[in-house]
Amino acid sequence: HIDSYHTVYKDPAYYCGPGPSVVHDPTEDRLTVCFRRVKSWLSDGLAGHWHPSTETYITHSTDLGQTWTAPRILFGGWQALSDSVAEGTLLHSSHRIELVSEDILASTAIAGVMQNPWPGLHAGTAIHRSEDDSLTWSDPVWLSGLPDAVPLH
């Protein structure tokens, strides 16, 4: 049962989907929302959430979502997914897609090249960590993949 809702961010020039990541810190009764945005190509029939220019934003609420801080950019080029692991500590798990040249796109020897909706290569998955409630973040720690799996890049 939903009594009401409040829009956290909306700009018709940007696509903000799919869904945000929400973290609740019960010690401060604070909500943190991470979401991604990218220039909207919806009028052209394209969703942009895999585009390399995607930006990850963060915003906070201390009144159960009635009001929110102005969203600020966390990362450029990363997809959004954050989680709380301890008081004041957040993890941002994400991946990157890099645009590739026509030569790479035409190569059949490179695994993992995406053709649509834009030519890209999955650049890997990484974890960022913040221990000061999202004020600063670590450099990415790149995940090495599954044992015995052939990397796609």
Side-chain angles (χ1 to χ4, degrees):
H1 178 262
I2 298 173
D3 293 328
S4 65
Y5 70 91
H6 299 275
T7 301
V8 174
Y9 176 85
K10 184 175 183 178
D11 185 330
Y14 290 92
Y15 173 76
C16 296
S21 297
V22 181
V23 175
H24 178 245
D25 180 352
T27 61
E28 297 183 30
D29 208 17
R30 177 170 139 147
L31 295 171
T32 297
V33 170
C34 285
F35 64 93
R36 54 188 167 185
R37 79 169 204 173
V38 68
K39 178 86 173 107
S40 178
W41 294 283
L42 292 176
S43 62
D44 299 320
L46 298 171
H49 66 269
W50 293 113
H51 195 273
S53 68
T54 298
E55 302 166 318
T56 301
Y57 277 75
I58 192 166
T59 182
H60 305 280
S61 174
T62 56
D63 57 9
L64 298 174
Q66 298 296 310
T67 60
W68 294 89
T69 61
R72 66 180 171 86
I73 191 167
L74 280 183
F75 302 107
W78 292 93
Q79 307 298 317
L81 177 60
S82 294
D83 197 6
S84 176
V85 293
E87 184 177 327
T89 301
L90 295 170
L91 293 181
H92 178 265
S93 170
S94 188
H95 57 91
R96 287 181 71 99
I97 305 293
E98 303 289 344
L99 289 176
V100 297
S101 69
E102 293 294 326
D103 292 339
I104 292 173
L105 182 62
S107 173
T108 58
I110 301 173
V113 174
M114 301 178 343
Q115 303 278 333
N116 292 312
W118 23 76
L121 180 66
H122 190 270
T125 300
I127 305 288
H128 298 86
R129 181 182 181 105
S130 172
E131 295 182 343
D132 57 10
D133 211 17
S134 80
L135 295 176
T136 61
W137 292 83
S138 70
D139 290 335
V141 175
W142 293 93
L143 305 181
S144 60
L146 299 172
D148 302 323
V150 178
L152 293 178
H153 56 286

